[in-house]
Amino acid sequence: MIRLVSRALVVLLAAVVGCSGARRVDGLDPSSLPPDLRADYEVFAHRCSKCHTLARPLDSGITNDQFWRIYVTRMQRMPGSGISDSDVARILRFLRHYSAEQRAKKAAS
């Protein structure tokens, strides 16, 4: 019985921490970005890590700016996202830059 309660508490704690909005450590090093995009990245990291890891969008392979607009707008409508219209603009500015870098890397290889 004690083991069952202990396991239940561990699962509950993991769920609370996973959904607490705590920032996950899995994004980019902001110092690797142009200075004018670092604040945009911080908005991206803060808002997007509320619901999923940053690896999810960064490793998605998406490089189409229009797709990002649709995706971020959809995420904005998710309950608890906290993504404002001004956040959308900043997140998209970062993702446009990131996508351009990914396209350039793909073209170079």
Side-chain angles (χ1 to χ4, degrees):
M1 181 67 167
I2 291 175
R3 280 188 177 171
L4 181 60
V5 171
S6 296
R7 287 183 185 170
L9 287 174
V10 169
V11 170
L12 179 63
L13 180 62
V16 168
V17 170
C19 296
S20 68
R23 191 151 162 227
R24 294 169 176 88
V25 182
D26 67 336
L28 299 173
D29 175 8
S31 68
S32 69
L33 296 169
D36 61 325
L37 285 173
R38 291 177 188 166
D40 296 337
Y41 172 77
E42 289 302 322
V43 172
F44 160 80
H46 176 72
R47 295 296 186 205
C48 298
S49 68
K50 282 184 166 185
C51 299
H52 53 75
T53 65
L54 296 179
R56 183 174 171 186
L58 295 177
D59 295 342
S60 68
I62 299 166
T63 58
N64 181 289
D65 293 343
Q66 183 58 31
F67 184 84
W68 279 126
R69 177 173 297 286
I70 293 166
Y71 191 79
V72 172
T73 301
R74 191 175 84 207
M75 294 296 106
Q76 182 184 25
R77 292 189 305 258
M78 298 300 288
S81 75
I83 300 173
S84 68
D85 290 341
S86 65
D87 291 341
V88 168
R90 296 186 86 169
I91 291 167
L92 289 174
R93 190 168 37 235
F94 163 71
L95 288 171
R96 275 193 298 275
H97 169 79
Y98 183 77
S99 292
E101 283 190 339
Q102 298 306 303
R103 287 189 300 268
K105 285 179 186 177
K106 187 175 181 178
S109 61

